[in-house]
Amino acid sequence: MPFRKPLIAAGALIAFTHAAAVQSARAQDWPNRPLTMVVPFAAGGPIDSLARILQNSISEKLGQPIIIENQSGGGGLTGSLRVSQAAADSHIFVLASIGTHAIGYSMHVKPVYHPANDFQPVIFVADAPLMLMVKKDLPPNNLAAFIDYTKKNHAGMTFSSGGTGTSSHISCVMLNQIMGVDVTHVPYRGGGPAFADVIAGRIDYICNYTSIGVAATKQGQVKALAMLAGNRTPLLPELPTADEQGLKDFDVSAWNAILLPKSASPAMVAKLNAAVSKALDDPQVRTRLDGIGLIPAAPERRSPEYLRKFINAEIEKWAKPVKASGLQAD
């Protein structure tokens, strides 16, 4: 049959074309049901707070409900891994952090995913300044006094974090290295629980998001001793930076971003990017972000291409301090 092979080839081409058309149609229809925003940390923490600020605005832009799912564990890697491996039509994305998509990568001999290559980067969301807070009955009232006190008492002290490899962990490790102290680290399944035990007086100090600490500081539940980022926060304008208090060039700031599964199409990325970008321009959203000390991404920092390059640069930036610290999660 001389026409058999051409017929088979034509049939295969038709099948491929049909499959591609179906996939394209699905991408154009996306989202066609509720979406899940995975927050890879416990409820009540700083990233969870950001998710709930964005939730309704993004939902309105996409025309579908957004369900927030807290999936903690592994310093945020467990929930992030789930998203990276999801199918294209799974309607799921992750609200990532510097810990899940930069710092954590260098802490594993065999990382479970690559923060940029195993996802579809969507949009950089916000910078998240960090600050040093101590339990209210700890004697020091400024950074110099804290350094002196910790040098004398570090053997019996503790600091908490939202998990090994998170920004709250590594920032305190960097601070401890500069002070020349060895303080016991107590990791939790999120920034909320970690901070709760500082408030309760069971933990001595924490390096955590400004967003989670300002209210507690103003209410006298903890003492804020220094901004760890390069600039003061308008929410606590009287609180000096670590640099201003003698730790020259100390500048640690976290960040958050949104990524889709690796299987997501360019059309899905574009739709979610546009929705989140509009949410970041929403006056009510911006007011709420300002209220917890988060700095929304400027328009020129919102493209998927920018986020991919940024994540790769952050991996390289944090690799040296992580390795120098001797921290290894496996």
Side-chain angles (χ1 to χ4, degrees):
M1 295 284 295
F3 298 107
R4 184 178 180 84
K5 289 184 178 179
L7 286 173
I8 292 173
L13 178 61
I14 292 170
F16 175 81
T17 304
H18 175 72
V22 170
Q23 185 175 9
S24 176
R26 285 177 179 171
Q28 294 301 324
D29 291 342
W30 187 92
N32 52 30
R33 63 176 188 270
L35 296 102
T36 297
M37 185 195 315
V38 173
V39 175
F41 298 99
I47 300 177
D48 182 63
S49 297
L50 172 59
R52 294 178 195 283
I53 290 173
L54 296 173
Q55 182 181 21
N56 289 337
S57 186
I58 299 176
S59 175
E60 290 173 3
K61 282 21 174 217
L62 291 175
Q64 291 288 346
I66 291 179
I67 301 163
I68 294 174
E69 186 173 325
N70 298 89
Q71 186 173 359
S72 57
L77 301 188
T78 303
S80 299
L81 177 63
R82 172 190 166 199
V83 173
S84 73
Q85 298 174 336
D89 63 350
S90 60
H91 286 62
I92 191 171
F93 61 94
V94 64
L95 181 58
S97 71
I98 185 176
T100 62
H101 282 70
I103 295 173
Y105 184 73
S106 296
M107 293 187 65
H108 295 265
V109 176
K110 295 181 179 179
V112 293
Y113 59 75
H114 187 280
N117 300 340
D118 289 334
F119 294 81
Q120 292 297 342
V122 176
I123 188 168
F124 184 90
V125 175
D127 287 298
L130 302 170
M131 63 183 186
L132 170 66
M133 293 168 283
V134 303
K135 63 183 183 182
K136 63 182 179 182
D137 59 353
L138 203 73
N141 292 311
N142 58 54
L143 184 57
F146 174 78
I147 293 173
D148 182 64
Y149 179 88
T150 306
K151 284 183 175 180
K152 295 175 181 176
N153 299 282
H154 65 98
M157 294 177 68
T158 56
F159 75 94
S160 61
S161 78
T164 301
T166 60
S167 58
S168 58
H169 176 210
I170 301 302
S171 55
C172 265
V173 167
M174 292 175 66
L175 181 62
N176 293 343
Q177 286 180 327
I178 291 173
M179 293 191 292
V181 300
D182 184 12
V183 179
T184 299
H185 171 225
V186 183
Y188 288 72
R189 294 178 71 86
F195 190 47
D197 271 2
V198 178
I199 293 174
R202 290 185 283 269
I203 296 291
D204 293 302
Y205 63 99
I206 189 171
C207 303
N208 212 350
Y209 285 60
T210 302
S211 60
I212 201 173
V214 168
T217 298
K218 290 181 176 180
Q219 292 166 12
Q221 295 176 310
V222 296
K223 292 191 290 188
L225 301 188
M227 284 297 300
L228 300 180
N231 299 306
R232 296 192 184 197
T233 173
L235 301 180
L236 293 170
E238 73 285 356
L239 180 65
T241 67
D243 178 85
E244 289 175 307
Q245 296 185 72
L247 296 187
K248 292 303 177 185
D249 299 321
F250 192 92
D251 183 358
V252 178
S253 184
W255 49 264
N256 298 107
I258 284 175
L259 300 94
L260 278 161
K262 186 177 182 179
S263 58
S265 70
M268 294 174 184
V269 172
K271 280 191 176 182
L272 186 54
N273 176 280
V276 178
S277 186
K278 288 178 182 177
L280 292 176
D281 290 331
D282 185 321
Q284 291 184 337
V285 170
R286 293 188 74 89
T287 297
R288 294 182 68 188
L289 293 178
D290 290 343
I292 59 173
L294 293 181
I295 304 170
E300 62 270 19
R301 301 180 73 194
R302 297 182 192 174
S303 72
E305 295 75 21
Y306 172 88
L307 179 56
R308 187 179 295 277
K309 291 178 181 178
F310 177 81
I311 289 175
N312 283 318
E314 284 287 284
I315 291 171
E316 184 176 349
K317 171 185 172 181
W318 286 98
K320 290 181 180 179
V322 167
K323 289 177 181 177
S325 71
L327 292 171
Q328 204 67 193
D330 52 18

